């Protein structure tokens, strides 16, 4: 059974906000896809370099790659996720069919990131990840994230649009089930 962490909604909100602020400064338009892939790549980079994720969100394998579950709910403005985030999100979600079918653009961050919640290393990893996602584009990002061992292990080709939990221990450069269990404990006490 895969280790499950307790996602940190304050850290998720600040991570999304940081991505949106970086996108605004770089004059990028970002979609839900850009945000969730940026968070995945940033969490993996931060796990590899520092031994902890940024958001503590749990990942699922979906058709177009890994997706952070709680972040996905928040970006879709699911009632429970928005309530957990405090009821009002510090950005605008706008229908953007010009960016692709079913696309929403995330823009107008209402404030800067709370640096008491995210560290400099968190913000650096998020910035690096956004730049990678935008440089690779949809197809390149999809291909890149589909090669991650945790995704490959979880995904089932016959799944259609379903999702499968990804093993947190396999998100590390070298699988580390023990560290994943430590993070699960830590996530319940932060």
């Amino acid at each position: 059974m895969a280790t499950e962490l307790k996602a940190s909604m304050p850290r998720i909100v600040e991570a999304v906000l940081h991505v949106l602020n970086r996108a605004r400064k770089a004059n990028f338009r970002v979609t839900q896809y850009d945000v969730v892939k940026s968070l995945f790549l940033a969490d993996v980079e931060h796990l590899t370099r520092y031994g902890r994720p940024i958001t503590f969100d749990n990942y699922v394998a979906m058709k177009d790659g890994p997706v952070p579950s709680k972040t996905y709910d928040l970006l879709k403005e699911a009632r429970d996720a928005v309530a957990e985030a405090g009821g009002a999100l510090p950005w605008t979600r706008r229908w953007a069919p010009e960016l692709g079918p079913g696309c929403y653009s995330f823009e107008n961050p209402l404030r800067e990131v709370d640096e008491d919640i995210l560290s400099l290393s968190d913000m650096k990893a998020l910035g690096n990840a956004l730049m990678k996602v935008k440089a690779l584009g949809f197809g390149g990002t999809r291909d890149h994230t589909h090669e991650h061992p945790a995704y490959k292990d979880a995904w089932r080709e016959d799944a259609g649009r379903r999702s499968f939990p990804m093993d947190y221990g396999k998100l590390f450069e070298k699988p580390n089930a023990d560290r994943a269990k430590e993070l699960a404990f830590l996530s319940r006490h932060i």
Side-chain angles (χ1 to χ4, degrees):
M1 182 168 151
T3 303
E4 188 169 319
L5 278 61
K6 181 177 184 277
S8 170
M9 187 56 80
R11 294 182 67 75
I12 290 168
V13 169
E14 296 306 314
V16 171
L17 195 55
H18 183 71
V19 167
L20 299 182
N21 275 306
R22 285 294 302 266
R24 181 187 61 198
K25 290 172 185 164
N27 206 26
F28 295 147
R29 290 185 70 192
V30 291
T31 64
Q32 178 173 290
Y33 185 85
D34 297 322
V35 174
V36 298
K37 297 312 177 216
S38 293
L39 268 59
F40 172 72
L41 293 175
D43 268 341
V44 168
E45 176 185 333
H46 211 273
L47 274 169
T48 299
R49 295 188 74 170
Y50 303 105
R52 76 155 170 84
I54 297 167
T55 65
F56 291 87
D57 207 344
N58 293 287
Y59 286 89
V60 294
M62 295 181 78
K63 184 180 98 175
D64 289 324
V67 173
S69 298
K70 187 73 76 165
T71 303
Y72 187 57
D73 289 345
L74 186 66
L75 294 174
K76 292 187 305 179
E77 297 183 351
R79 186 180 325 187
D80 290 346
V82 172
E84 187 178 342
L89 301 177
W91 58 74
T92 302
R93 175 181 185 243
R94 187 182 63 76
W95 174 244
E98 71 277 10
L99 297 177
C103 280
Y104 286 88
S105 176
F106 292 83
E107 48 198 49
N108 302 323
L110 300 178
R111 61 176 174 78
E112 291 296 319
V113 171
D114 184 340
E115 293 181 15
D116 288 335
I117 295 177
L118 292 185
S119 70
L120 291 176
S121 63
D122 294 332
M123 291 184 278
K124 183 176 181 181
L126 288 161
N128 292 344
L130 173 65
M131 294 303 147
K132 185 170 197 163
V133 166
K134 294 311 278 184
L136 290 173
F138 178 87
T141 299
R142 186 180 188 279
D143 291 346
H144 178 69
T145 59
H146 275 227
E147 289 303 312
H148 195 282
Y151 177 82
K152 288 168 77 170
D153 185 60
W155 181 247
R156 302 293 174 255
E157 278 300 322
D158 63 346
R161 292 195 151 265
R162 296 187 55 208
S163 64
F164 299 91
M166 292 171 59
D167 185 341
Y168 224 93
K170 292 181 180 176
L171 292 178
F172 292 88
E173 188 172 34
K174 293 178 184 169
N176 192 337
D178 290 337
R179 182 61 183 150
K181 288 176 186 169
E182 291 170 3
L183 289 170
F185 176 80
L186 177 64
S187 72
R188 284 163 176 71
H189 297 91
I190 56 171

